[in-house]
């Protein structure tokens, strides 16, 4: 009897500390409000500061105002890693507080799959959209990305885990969110776009630890 009680307490304690961990294959997060206060917290499995990384995600919206998709803040830099869309036709990607812009077609109204990869040694930044690489650019050569990360989807942090501006919030659907501690090969960048088998990462849509804050709903993908 006593042993059973201890077990039960351990389970309850364990559950209350752990985020949901789920295979979200063929599912999406629907951010329902516009503008929105909602966001989804992710917990990357970080061990060492990142010399290299790739973040991929797919989103679908009819917003034309600025919005944050993926926001990775540390205590010292709120824009440590950020994927931001200031307007149709442009993505802005950040490392260590600096950013690059990539111009994209603004006449397509469809799901957009983007991957942002960066390598400290060269400072090279890769931006891929819908399985195609954009001309490479560079920033923050020699920087390392801190591990004290607070990662959210659907908002842009202006301080660690806080200071969200709902007029930079995302409304719409998001899926296939991944992060790796290396630069994906071109082959794997295309696999990410095609939603094929991918290497295990720091964040893995098929085994995602997440916590929803506010009005975000998990639903099956429509197509
Ligand atoms: C980061 O990438 C560079 C260049 O490809 C490589 O030499 C280095 O070992 C990588 N660092 C880590 C920690 O994987
Ligand atoms: Ca910010």
């Amino acid at each position: 009897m006593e042993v059973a009680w201890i077990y039960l307490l351990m389970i309850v304690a364990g559950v209350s500390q752990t985020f949901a961990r789920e295979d979200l294959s063929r599912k999406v997060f629907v951010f329902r409000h516009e503008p929105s206060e909602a966001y989804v917290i992710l917990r990357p499995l970080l061990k060492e500061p990142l010399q290299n990384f790739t973040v991929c995600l797919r989103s679908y919206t009819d917003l034309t105002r600025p919005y944050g998709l993926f926001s990775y803040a540390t205590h010292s830099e709120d824009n440590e890693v950020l994927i931001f869309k200031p307007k149709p036709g442009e993505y802005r990607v950040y490392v260590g507080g600096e950013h690059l812009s990539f111009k994209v077609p603004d006449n397509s109204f469809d799901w957009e799959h983007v991957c942002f990869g960066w390598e400290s040694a060269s400072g090279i930044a890769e931006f891929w959209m819908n399985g195609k690489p954009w001309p490479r650019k560079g920033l923050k050569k020699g920087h390392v990305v801190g591990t004290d990360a607070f990662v959210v989807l659907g908002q842009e942090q202006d301080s660690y885990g806080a200071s969200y501006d709902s007029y930079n919030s995302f409304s719409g659907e998001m899926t296939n969110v991944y992060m790796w501690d290396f630069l994906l090969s071109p082959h794997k960048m295309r696999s990410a776009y095609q939603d094929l088998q991918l290497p295990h990462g720091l964040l893995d849509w098929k085994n995602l630890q997440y916590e929803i804050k506010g009005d975000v709903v998990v639903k099956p993908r429509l197509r």
Side-chain angles (χ1 to χ4, degrees), residues 134-152:
W134 257 235
R136 281 173 283 189
K137 299 183 179 184
L139 82 171
K140 292 301 269 189
K141 184 177 168 182
H143 179 69
V144 288
V145 171
T147 49
D148 57 327
F150 199 94
V151 181
V152 310

Side-chain angles (χ1 to χ4, degrees), residues 78-79 82 156-158:
D78 59 301
N79 300 331
L82 173 62
E156 197 259 301
Q157 302 171 75
D158 281 335

Side-chain angles (χ1 to χ4, degrees), residues 123-134:
I124 284 287
E126 292 190 15
F127 179 80
W128 291 64
M129 187 167 154
N130 297 341
K132 277 185 278 180
W134 257 235

